Amino acid sequence: MADSKYQQIKSHILQRIETGRWQEGDAVPSENQLAGEFGVSRMTARRALQELAEQGVLQRTQGAATCVAPLKSQSSMLQIRNIADEIRERERHHRAQVIELAEIQADNALAAHFALPVGSKLYSSLICHWQDDEPLQLEQRFVNPALAPDYLKQDFSALTPHEYLCTAAPLTEAEHRVEALLADPLAIQYLHLQAGMPCLRLHRTTWSRDGVVSHALLTHPGEKYQLGGHLTFVPSERINRR
């Protein structure tokens, strides 16, 4: 499946940043320049620049050139929390129980997630993350072997899949969807839940500049997990001054 034009523009910009051709603070081509180079509308070029700005890769200021954002800003905006770090920050002990590592064939749903033909090879892992003496997260993950060829060779009792993939295929994008559901057979078995108990499942798909890296289902006992975040809003008087 060919990338859309705006995705091609994003990949073009990310490739130049990752290779060091464009450094922190460097101006990137304007909407008009990108539109001409890629043969697209200015609106398409604007969408690509805006999405990279929202991810913290670029900085856009009205009336000024769009520039490569400081690296500190990029890493914080693109960061996905590692379950082992979260547990250690609570001064608790993390332990990973590796249940399964396997090579599988993509069914219709997985093939759609990875934009690959049905039956394509994927890697699969099933890992239960423990906090002290309690199971806290069941991680079922599917990985593109073309982007992480040594995935099945890793010792995931010593490092998490997240930590490995951040090195093997540095992440540029992520998509999350949260689902409330009742415990399924895997959650009952490995999270020590009773049938009918509530769970929260985070569906997470991650990309590098070369394509989809992984799709993960992260299941938590409902009573032991909560979603949260911190947003900073710009006061209206600051907006009016621009």
Side-chain angles (χ1 to χ4, degrees):
M1 180 183 294
D3 286 344
S4 63
K5 286 290 187 179
Y6 94 95
Q7 288 286 3
Q8 291 177 23
I9 295 172
K10 289 176 65 176
S11 296
H12 168 83
I13 294 171
L14 287 167
Q15 191 271 339
R16 278 154 179 73
I17 294 173
E18 291 174 1
T19 58
R21 182 171 175 180
W22 292 347
Q23 300 288 327
E24 176 181 328
D26 285 350
V28 303
S30 67
E31 295 173 4
N32 286 336
Q33 290 171 320
L34 290 170
E37 180 177 352
F38 287 87
V40 299
S41 68
R42 182 175 175 181
M43 183 177 297
T44 298
R46 181 181 301 160
R47 179 184 176 188
L49 293 174
Q50 186 60 37
E51 288 195 6
L52 289 174
E54 290 171 356
Q55 293 161 12
V57 177
L58 301 177
Q59 287 185 331
R60 307 199 77 194
T61 304
Q62 186 174 0
T66 299
C67 299
V68 178
L71 293 179
K72 181 178 179 181
S73 173
Q74 292 178 36
S75 62
S76 63
M77 290 297 292
L78 296 176
Q79 181 183 23
I80 299 174
R81 295 289 288 163
N82 179 32
I83 182 66
D85 291 338
E86 291 185 14
I87 291 173
R88 292 174 188 134
E89 286 174 6
R90 293 193 287 268
E91 299 185 354
R92 311 292 286 274
H93 174 69
H94 169 261
R95 174 170 67 89
Q97 174 191 1
V98 180
I99 301 163
E100 181 180 84
L101 291 173
E103 181 181 305
I104 65 169
Q105 291 184 328
D107 59 16
N108 288 330
L110 286 172
H113 274 297
F114 286 87
L116 294 172
V118 174
S120 295
K121 181 175 73 174
L122 293 175
Y123 292 153
S124 171
S125 60
L126 184 65
I127 299 170
C128 188
H129 297 278
W130 290 63
Q131 177 175 282
D132 294 338
D133 298 323
E134 293 184 313
L136 188 65
Q137 181 193 90
L138 185 62
E139 173 187 345
Q140 185 175 20
R141 186 180 294 270
F142 305 95
V143 174
N144 186 343
L147 301 182
D150 295 327
Y151 185 79
L152 297 184
K153 300 177 183 178
Q154 305 307 306
D155 179 5
F156 289 125
S157 63
L159 82 166
T160 65
H162 169 81
E163 290 170 317
Y164 169 70
L165 291 173
C166 282
T167 300
L171 308 182
T172 58
E173 296 185 54
E175 179 178 270
H176 297 85
R177 178 170 63 87
V178 179
E179 175 186 20
L181 71 165
L182 300 179
D184 61 15
L186 284 177
I188 291 170
Q189 180 177 359
Y190 293 109
L191 294 177
H192 300 175
L193 301 176
Q194 300 296 318
M197 292 186 69
C199 295
L200 278 178
R201 176 170 291 164
L202 179 65
H203 299 251
R204 175 185 291 165
T205 303
T206 56
W207 286 261
S208 73
R209 68 179 181 86
D210 295 315
V212 177
V213 177
S214 78
H215 177 67
L217 308 177
L218 310 175
T219 305
H220 310 78
E223 63 181 9
K224 298 178 183 176
Y225 188 78
Q226 62 181 1
L227 294 173
H230 178 82
L231 301 177
T232 300
F233 295 93
V234 179
S236 58
E237 61 267 21
R238 287 178 58 189
I239 297 176
N240 294 335
R241 291 176 189 154
R242 291 180 180 180

